[in-house]
Amino acid sequence: MMSVRTRTIVIGDIHGCLEELQDLLSATGAAPADQLICVGDLLGKGPDSGGVLRWAKGTPNLRCVLGNHEDRLLRAWRAGKTPDEKSSDTETARQLGASFGEAMQFVSEWPLFIEEDDFIVVHAGLDPKIAQLDRQSRETLLTIRTLQDGKTPWYEEYSGKKLVLFGHWPRPAPVRRTNAVGLDTGCVYGGSLAAMILPERRLVCVPARKSYRTKKDWPSELR
Ligand SMILES: [Mn+2]
């Protein structure tokens, strides 16, 4: 009998792009036997955060790490406020509608990282000077892009053996290094939605149907 090895499909920042998510699941041939992991920022900025959240809740083979957008929504929810810090959060809450509280309850269970024998999934990245994952600060895990010089990407100094899969920093193409893979390819800005299939490390990207943000909101990396 042939042994069937479980695949893990790690998915980049979805930001409410439900149609592209469905395209990506088709392109990867995702099946219930696969383990799915999202790098966080499933919600916010994009067209259908409610639909993406319903998909997440209804997908038992999925795990998610927390993204900074979910974290900001959670903080507002815990403070008993409708998010108003940024207009895109207000729009996200509107898309979630009556299920906002239920959504936040669900998201509040997401961890800051997932560590397996041969990989780590985290939203933004790691401080390369700190070897232990559980000693990384919440702020770092959710938001790091560069080191303190403001220009060196954190992963250029990361020397760990374990592969880190991350999102948070939209780029025209995935960041692909021996021990770090960046999967935010700016779908919500009209780029693409990326996934990496493990253990073979195959990248799959599907193009965005359109840009869901006006050009003035685009990060400089995508202009
Ligand atoms: Mn992010």
Side-chain angles (χ1 to χ4, degrees):
M1 221 172 108
M2 240 173 65
S3 74
V4 179
R5 192 160 181 193
T6 304
R7 301 193 307 170
T8 299
I9 304 174
V10 184
I11 301 170
D13 305 47
I14 301 166
H15 278 305
C17 295
L18 182 64
E19 289 184 306
E20 290 82 353
L21 171 63
Q22 301 296 357
D23 292 343
L24 185 70
L25 294 170
S26 299
T28 55
D34 296 321
Q35 164 174 237
L36 307 182
I37 302 179
C38 285
V39 303
D41 281 0
L42 285 77
L43 309 181
K45 290 185 180 171
D48 193 359
S49 289
V52 172
L53 198 89
R54 278 192 296 280
W55 166 78
K57 287 190 85 166
T59 305
N61 54 329
L62 170 71
R63 286 184 292 163
C64 302
V65 297
L66 196 69
N68 59 304
H69 281 256
E70 285 97 17
D71 184 58
R72 207 167 59 220
L73 289 161
L74 269 179
R75 277 188 278 121
W77 176 64
R78 286 180 172 137
K81 290 189 280 198
T82 302
D84 56 4
E85 194 180 326
K86 285 197 170 181
S87 60
S88 77
D89 287 347
T90 310
E91 170 60 18
T92 304
R94 195 193 61 73
Q95 290 175 14
L96 293 167
S99 65
F100 180 63
E102 199 184 312
M104 292 301 101
Q105 197 76 54
F106 178 59
V107 163
S108 70
E109 289 165 18
W110 297 356
L112 289 167
F113 58 83
I114 290 172
E115 182 174 26
E116 300 239 323
D117 289 344
D118 43 9
F119 64 86
I120 293 164
V121 179
V122 63
H123 180 58
L126 309 175
D127 179 340
K129 292 186 294 298
I130 300 175
Q132 280 170 277
L133 197 47
D134 57 9
R135 295 190 61 191
Q136 298 281 336
S137 78
R138 181 182 183 89
E139 174 82 10
T140 297
L141 295 167
L142 289 170
T143 66
I144 193 171
R145 286 184 179 169
T146 59
L147 302 179
Q148 281 184 340
D149 65 3
K151 57 178 189 233
T152 308
W154 67 267
Y155 47 79
E156 288 192 4
E157 299 286 320
Y158 170 66
S159 58
K161 287 195 181 70
K162 211 173 256 198
L163 173 66
V164 179
L165 298 117
F166 65 98
H168 185 63
W169 196 352
R171 303 294 182 77
V175 172
R176 193 164 195 184
R177 300 171 69 90
T178 312
N179 61 358
V181 168
L183 292 172
D184 187 352
T185 43
C187 188
V188 77
Y189 302 107
S192 61
L193 186 61
M196 177 166 267
I197 303 174
L198 301 172
E200 67 260 47
R201 297 196 180 198
R202 179 159 67 90
L203 279 166
V204 178
C205 292
V206 296
R209 305 279 181 104
K210 56 179 273 203
S211 173
Y212 299 96
R213 309 295 299 175
T214 56
K215 206 157 184 175
K216 70 171 173 51
D217 293 334
W218 290 11
S220 57
E221 290 86 346
L222 299 182
R223 278 168 207 263

